[in-house]
Amino acid sequence: MTNAPAITAEIVAQHGLSPEEYERVLASMGREPNLTELGIFSVMWSEHCSYKSSRIHLKKLPTEAPWVICGPGENAGVIDIGDGQAAIFKMESHNHPSYIEPYQGAATGVGGILRDVFTMGARPVANLNALRFGRPDHPKMRHLIAGVVHGIGGYGNCVGVPTVGGEVNFHPSYDGNILVNAMTVGIADQDKIFYSAASGIGNSIVYVGSKTGRDGIHGATMASAEFDEKSDEKRPTVQVGDPFTEKLLIEACLELMASDAIVAIQDMGAAGLTSSSVEMASKGGVGIELDMNAVPQRETGMTPYEMMLSESQERMLMVLKPGREDFAEAIFRKWELDFAVIGTVTDTGRMVLNWNGETVADIPLGPLADEAPLYDRPTATKDEYKAWAGVKPLGDIPESTDFAADLLKLMASPDIASRRWIWEQYDHMVGADTVQRPGGDAAVVRVHGTQKGLAMSTDCTPRYCYADPYEGGKQAVAECYRNLSAVGATPLAITNCLNFASPQRPEIMAQLTGCLEGMGDACRALDFPIVSGNVSLYNESKATGGGNAILPTPAIGGVGLLADWSTSATIAFKAEGEDVFILGHSYRHLGQSLWLREIAGLEGRDAGAPPPVDLATERANGTLVRSLIADGVLTAAHDCSDGGAAVAIAEMALAGGIGADIEAVAEAGAPTPLLFGEDQGRYIVTTAQGDILAARAAAADISVIRIGRVGGDALRFDLQATATTAIIPLADLRRAHEGFFPALMGADAALA
Amino acid sequence: MKSAVIVFPGSNCDRDLAVALRETTGAEPVMVWHGETSLPDGLDIVGVPGGFSYGDYLRSGAMAARSPVMRAVADAAAKGVAVLGVCNGFQVLTETGLLPGALMRNAGLNFVCRDVDLTVANSQTMFTAKYDDAEAIKIPVAHHDGNYFADEATLDRLEGEGRVAFRYAGAVNGSARAIAGIVNDAGNVLGLMPHPERMIDAAAHGRADGRRLFEGLIEALG
């Protein structure tokens, strides 16, 4: 056995292992590991790969429903969408690399999540993302925004998968640690779904895709530590993406998958060859032996340590049926990709690596995967968290003094302003199946060649999650449910991407467990299980001088099904004279609203409790909205979220290019809490059949109030409580709404 | 009506173009791999699709233009077969010399994907027969390198000979004389940056302005 440097405490620390964890390594090996073996332990036991701080809490999430084919644990979640077809999807973070090198970080985030989906046999049909940036005027932010957007576009556009939706927030807590979460949705035939468990002693283990280089070594370990002042020096740990090769890999894999040659397949993502081979072998309960000399290499002189820890992109590992190697190789050669048999499946339960005629690693698989460390980290109690977060009850809030000015300001504010500048840089139409484009509540993509449509949306309101993790966790799921319902889709399942700061702080653990508890309750109440997910911890940075933890950001990506995509509703006002209704009860809850933050200057601790979510109401209201859409009663629907009913109405007017007279505000009292409050479970809808709507709502015991009529080229709010009428021309509204990103990013943003 | 769609490594609008050809010709197009040295017999239409052939590495369309199959496409064009190059296909056609000029990086430097207003600059070509002269239509673009460039003499000649098929009605990518699509001097090769195949069904795509391009071509080919 080659023995390079002896393993010192310093080397152990450099590999991100604690002294206790190293003791476990010694115990499971029964001897001192060599450097290659230590490297393998370090990546497998990193937070990123092992979920060691979150695993015991994730187990509490609901993951089952009759339509769930495969829940968490595989590369992505799989749900039944009828006719023998399945939707396969997952969301994943690429936060740390994107802060260090935004273009490549974001690009490879897209590449990685695409591989998670097509490795299971699905053709990717849509990408979405959830992005969080710091203060728009932070000196680094334009560079980060431009890099991330160009990276997502550069990769997604080239592979030819439309980027159809997403969300963006700005908050100072992300100044030194932006979040880039990418989601892919794919479609497969249910009898052609591929899993990762290796089997068949003696079967060939095959490497396909790009060659292995020295990029991304220790990426998973880097992604499992907080940033310090020297984080820029970690740039060499960021991988470099090649979307062209990914496109070839998609086509080659799908071509091979049409045959019966594959036993198991797994992409090489975080921790590259190490985690893919360990996961395949441990899931299959077998062993694995690899010939490191056979690994296709981009550079000369690479060591087994480097090859095992490289995160070079666009690579896959497969177990093939005996005798099918030549058949498979021909397909990959046609697509001009590397193909190499690099090992065999064994019955030893160990991972053995050979190189230059020597065994350079020999590790029992159990300790690497299933028996990896598991921590029940100290967690602050709810009361302790409340005291720490220090969110004060909301006192008396002044009424809006200039309703029109408030609405214009909100529409121009960073969290509400039009995202057109972003999504026009993404090819959101390739495939010609995007029947609802970005800008609505949810994107809708046709299932190619059928009448079915998949609706998808990403959602989370981090400021709610900070103020009340439990309610915030519920709200993220509920808003996703609402967005899918608003286009008429039946919400089926979600993926989550849990972005939090350091789990070694009890308050952060309280955020994580609180959000998960809320999320779990919401999923159960809404029949909306979690089928896949990802956890990203240590999202905090001393780079900005503060020791800044991000807001808790458990992003949700949801998928819903429309039996007939052509029945889906959009947010746009359709026709003059149609009535505008608000569906769902308004409690006038202003706490944590964007009106408070942008207009009254109250946020965080000073902005009170977030709006509570009543899950039974959420479900009932969503069910009613979906049935009204299916029956053609509604002509437009839009959920009320950031900025409340007023912003929802304004977005509907802009989307349709028609104004509205909002009349019936007076009877509800003061306009600010009604129109700017962010009460949950509400939709603004339009109809030409107000009687039917009223009757259907009454039958379901759901509040629906007519508040006005579509028409004109302005929004008119008749504010009887203050005896004034606010008139906002659509042109002014559009200027405000469309102005933020172009003003921030400017014509030279491509060079930022 | 027999059609074919060329597939390069990195093409990604090949299926969309095939769907549009299937729906308008009523027959399944033949997908032709870039390594082929000949085209199927009896073709009426050859589609060169959008996408990122060879990742747009080196220069958009440059490597695809050297594919074996492009020699066969040039031969077919010389014999009068209709050749339609969309987006990356337009770039490939300029790189092969089947069309004059070049497509440079967008003036705004960003990728741009949106519906754009176009004006039909010449309704007398075999690709534009179903449009009216100067008709305003809307078709989406999705490109990073759509900024059409040619020298002044070439631009004058294109305009003088009625070879500008479509123009942008507003600022999109900085193209010389707002050129969105041109035909060769024989009139049987069209290259355009907008994607007509993405707008063939009013219900799904909002409008069907692109469909008439295919229908007009089929009618002209009779």
Side-chain angles (χ1 to χ4, degrees):
Chain A
M1 179 132 339
T2 318
N3 259 323
I7 304 303
T8 62
E10 194 185 355
I11 291 176
V12 170
Q14 281 166 357
H15 282 77
L17 291 171
S18 69
E20 297 75 31
E21 286 170 343
Y22 185 60
E23 286 301 317
R24 285 182 71 138
V25 172
L26 290 176
S28 54
M29 291 290 289
R31 61 172 166 82
E32 184 172 281
N34 62 32
L35 191 63
T36 303
E37 291 164 337
L38 182 75
I40 289 169
F41 271 101
S42 89
V43 292
M44 286 309 298
W45 286 6
S46 70
E47 195 66 60
H48 196 86
C49 291
S50 72
Y51 296 89
K52 59 192 171 191
S53 299
S54 56
R55 215 158 69 212
I56 58 167
H57 304 291
L58 296 174
K59 283 186 187 147
K60 297 171 193 160
L61 292 171
T63 59
E64 288 176 358
W67 52 90
V68 174
I69 295 172
C70 174
E74 276 294 333
N75 284 297
V78 185
I79 57 171
D80 185 349
I81 57 168
D83 311 310
Q85 291 181 305
I88 300 184
F89 62 99
K90 189 182 179 186
M91 179 154 50
E92 206 163 70
S93 61
H94 232 217
N95 305 332
H96 293 80
S98 299
Y99 181 77
I100 296 171
E101 212 298 283
Y103 185 96
Q104 292 298 344
T108 54
V110 174
I113 195 63
L114 280 164
R115 282 193 298 284
D116 276 334
V117 167
F118 74 75
T119 196
M120 295 197 71
R123 176 170 287 281
V125 298
N127 284 328
L128 294 93
N129 50 70
L131 311 177
R132 317 284 161 186
F133 295 110
R135 282 167 291 164
D137 58 356
H138 185 282
K140 225 177 162 171
M141 215 46 64
R142 289 174 72 237
H143 161 73
L144 291 171
I145 296 167
V148 166
V149 171
H150 294 154
I152 290 173
Y155 207 99
N157 298 347
C158 183
V159 295
V161 176
T163 301
V164 298
E167 59 168 351
V168 187
N169 284 152
F170 293 87
H171 190 276
S173 71
Y174 306 109
D175 277 356
N177 198 131
I178 61 170
L179 302 184
V180 175
N181 298 170
M183 172 173 171
T184 294
V185 182
I187 294 172
D189 288 335
Q190 287 177 20
D191 59 0
K192 281 284 175 195
I193 294 171
F194 292 83
Y195 297 98
S196 57
S199 66
I201 308 306
N203 279 350
S204 293
I205 293 171
V206 171
Y207 170 120
V208 296
S210 288
K211 294 186 192 330
T212 296
R214 289 197 169 97
D215 50 332
I217 290 174
H218 270 310
T221 315
M222 179 264 294
S224 304
E226 62 264 48
F227 280 147
D228 55 27
E229 297 80 354
K230 292 179 184 163
S231 53
D232 277 355
E233 292 173 10
K234 292 185 176 167
R235 193 164 290 143
T237 58
V238 178
Q239 316 85 325
V240 177
D242 176 2
F244 171 60
T245 298
E246 179 101 336
K247 168 68 175 167
L248 303 183
L249 195 55
I250 293 175
E251 299 304 332
C253 286
L254 291 177
E255 193 173 323
L256 181 60
M257 285 164 166
S259 75
D260 61 351
I262 299 175
V263 173
I265 180 166
Q266 164 89 28
D267 78 302
M268 295 192 219
L273 189 50
T274 295
S275 78
S276 55
S277 55
V278 169
E279 280 172 30
M280 290 182 86
S282 65
K283 274 187 190 142
V286 295
I288 191 166
E289 186 163 346
L290 300 181
D291 172 10
M292 300 310 289
N293 295 94
V295 172
Q297 293 158 50
R298 196 189 300 151
E299 302 169 57
T300 52
M302 287 187 71
T303 64
Y305 177 91
E306 290 171 322
M307 286 184 252
M308 291 308 286
L309 268 53
S310 162
E311 291 192 3
S312 290
Q313 299 290 290
E314 294 91 24
R315 302 178 300 162
M316 311 281 264
L317 204 60
M318 304 188 290
V319 176
L320 290 181
K321 285 189 181 158
R324 302 307 299 274
E325 293 86 351
D326 291 348
F327 169 77
E329 179 164 6
I331 292 173
F332 283 86
R333 294 292 174 211
K334 172 188 150 193
W335 289 100
E336 301 175 18
L337 294 165
D338 269 293
F339 178 100
V341 175
I342 64 165
T344 47
V345 177
T346 67
D347 60 0
T348 60
R350 301 178 75 85
M351 169 188 256
V352 176
L353 306 180
N354 300 312
W355 186 57
N356 294 346
E358 283 185 67
T359 297
V360 292
D362 184 352
I363 308 176
L365 284 161
L368 278 181
D370 302 335
E371 297 155 35
L374 186 60
Y375 296 126
D376 189 358
R377 304 259 189 208
T379 303
T381 64
K382 282 187 179 161
D383 285 341
E384 285 166 351
Y385 180 78
K386 256 187 182 167
W388 178 82
V391 178
K392 298 187 285 260
L394 202 55
D396 285 341
I397 299 301
E399 209 13 65
S400 168
T401 53
D402 184 340
F403 186 87
D406 287 3
L407 182 56
L408 285 169
K409 191 171 178 196
L410 272 179
M411 290 297 283
S413 66
D415 280 353
I416 293 179
S418 165
R419 274 77 178 109
R420 182 183 304 275
W421 182 88
I422 295 177
W423 50 256
E424 283 191 348
Q425 296 188 53
Y426 302 150
D427 189 339
H428 49 272
M429 306 175 204
V430 59
D433 284 322
T434 308
V435 292
Q436 264 207 51
R437 299 179 184 180
D441 278 324
V444 180
V445 176
R446 283 191 297 194
V447 177
H448 193 71
T450 75
Q451 274 304 109
K452 290 184 293 191
L454 290 182
M456 38 205 120
S457 174
T458 58
D459 298 282
C460 179
T461 313
R463 63 183 187 278
Y464 296 174
C465 294
Y466 174 83
D468 186 334
Y470 175 73
E471 287 296 332
K474 269 163 69 181
Q475 194 273 342
V477 177
E479 183 173 345
C480 191
Y481 180 87
R482 214 181 305 140
N483 278 326
L484 298 176
S485 297
V487 300
T490 305
L492 289 182
I494 62 175
T495 177
N496 61 18
C497 194
L498 306 168
N499 310 275
F500 292 86
S502 169
Q504 299 186 38
R505 296 162 64 184
E507 299 81 13
I508 303 302
M509 281 307 294
Q511 292 177 342
L512 176 69
T513 55
C515 285
L516 284 177
E517 198 184 325
M519 199 178 278
D521 282 354
C523 290
R524 274 182 285 272
L526 301 172
D527 267 340
F528 202 25
I530 294 178
V531 295
S532 58
N534 161 250
V535 181
S536 172
L537 302 178
Y538 296 97
N539 287 291
E540 49 188 280
S541 172
K542 295 181 184 72
T544 49
N548 230 350
I550 61 158
L551 293 182
T553 313
I556 296 293
V559 173
L561 181 66
L562 285 142
D564 179 356
W565 60 264
S566 68
T567 63
S568 79
T570 68
I571 70 168
F573 282 156
K574 299 296 184 307
E576 304 250 349
E578 291 186 342
D579 291 319
V580 183
F581 286 83
I582 188 162
L583 188 154
H585 190 73
S586 300
Y587 293 91
R588 305 183 189 91
H589 184 102
L590 260 185
Q592 294 295 337
S593 65
L594 285 182
W595 184 86
L596 273 186
R597 187 175 90 190
E598 299 294 330
I599 310 297
L602 297 174
E603 61 178 311
R605 295 177 170 181
D606 300 320
V613 179
D614 183 312
L615 294 167
T617 302
E618 202 67 68
R619 182 177 176 130
N621 294 6
T623 304
L624 175 64
V625 166
R626 293 196 301 274
S627 75
L628 290 167
I629 291 170
D631 296 342
V633 177
L634 302 185
T635 51
H638 189 11
D639 91 304
C640 294
S641 55
D642 281 346
V647 164
I649 292 165
E651 288 170 343
M652 296 173 85
L654 289 178
I658 320 176
D661 287 337
I662 304 300
E663 307 143 4
V665 173
E667 62 201 64
T672 301
L674 176 76
L675 289 168
F676 291 126
E678 294 175 7
D679 294 310
Q680 300 294 297
R682 296 190 305 167
Y683 302 77
I684 306 294
V685 299
T686 62
T687 181
Q689 306 170 63
D691 295 346
I692 297 176
L693 169 60
R696 296 272 292 267
D701 197 20
I702 289 169
S703 159
V704 62
I705 300 172
R706 183 184 173 282
I707 57 169
R709 179 184 292 259
V710 175
D713 56 5
L715 280 181
R716 297 164 56 93
F717 288 89
D718 184 3
L719 309 169
Q720 293 177 25
T722 55
T724 54
T725 300
I727 301 173
I728 308 145
L730 285 194
D732 293 356
L733 206 55
R734 195 176 301 282
R735 205 173 303 120
H737 194 230
E738 295 291 346
F740 170 76
F741 270 101
L744 175 67
M745 302 309 294
D748 64 338
L751 306 173
Chain B
M1 193 68 47
K2 192 166 172 187
S3 64
V5 174
I6 309 297
V7 184
F8 302 103
S11 293
N12 64 32
C13 303
D14 44 333
R15 188 191 74 183
D16 304 352
L17 192 53
V19 168
L21 285 167
R22 183 206 305 143
E23 290 203 359
T24 50
T25 65
E28 192 65 42
V30 184
M31 307 305 278
V32 180
W33 185 240
H34 73 119
E36 300 289 334
T37 50
S38 64
L39 293 172
D41 290 335
L43 280 184
D44 300 292
I45 305 170
V46 176
V48 188
F52 287 68
S53 57
Y54 291 96
D56 275 0
Y57 300 154
L58 183 61
R59 201 170 60 237
S60 302
M63 286 196 264
R66 274 79 188 163
S67 286
V69 77
M70 285 313 294
R71 219 166 277 168
V73 172
D75 290 347
K79 288 181 193 141
V81 174
V83 177
L84 169 65
V86 176
C87 197
N88 192 222
F90 186 10
Q91 293 160 346
V92 173
L93 294 178
T94 60
E95 287 285 347
T96 52
L98 283 172
L99 291 170
L103 283 311
M104 305 191 303
R105 174 100 339 162
N106 294 344
L109 300 180
N110 286 336
F111 189 95
V112 54
C113 178
R114 61 181 165 90
D115 292 347
V116 297
D117 293 315
L118 297 175
T119 309
V120 179
N122 179 359
S123 68
Q124 304 303 309
T125 77
M126 65 199 296
F127 300 92
T128 52
K130 281 247 173 183
Y131 301 105
D132 294 329
D133 244 345
E135 184 182 344
I137 59 172
K138 220 185 252 293
I139 292 183
V141 295
H143 60 246
H144 214 159
D145 298 321
N147 182 355
Y148 184 75
F149 175 84
D151 59 56
E152 290 297 311
T154 304
L155 293 170
D156 288 345
R157 200 174 70 242
L158 287 173
E159 289 188 329
E161 295 172 357
R163 288 167 54 191
V164 177
F166 301 99
R167 282 185 211 278
Y168 302 110
V172 174
N173 51 28
S175 283
R177 306 196 191 173
I179 287 173
I182 54 170
V183 293
N184 65 342
D185 53 2
N188 66 319
V189 177
L190 170 72
L192 79 170
M193 289 312 296
H195 286 271
E197 80 280 11
R198 294 187 184 184
M199 214 160 242
I200 58 166
D201 173 354
H205 305 142
R207 301 165 70 105
D209 290 2
R211 190 179 188 96
R212 281 187 286 155
L213 186 149
F214 297 96
E215 289 172 344
L217 177 61
I218 290 159
E219 212 171 277
L221 293 169

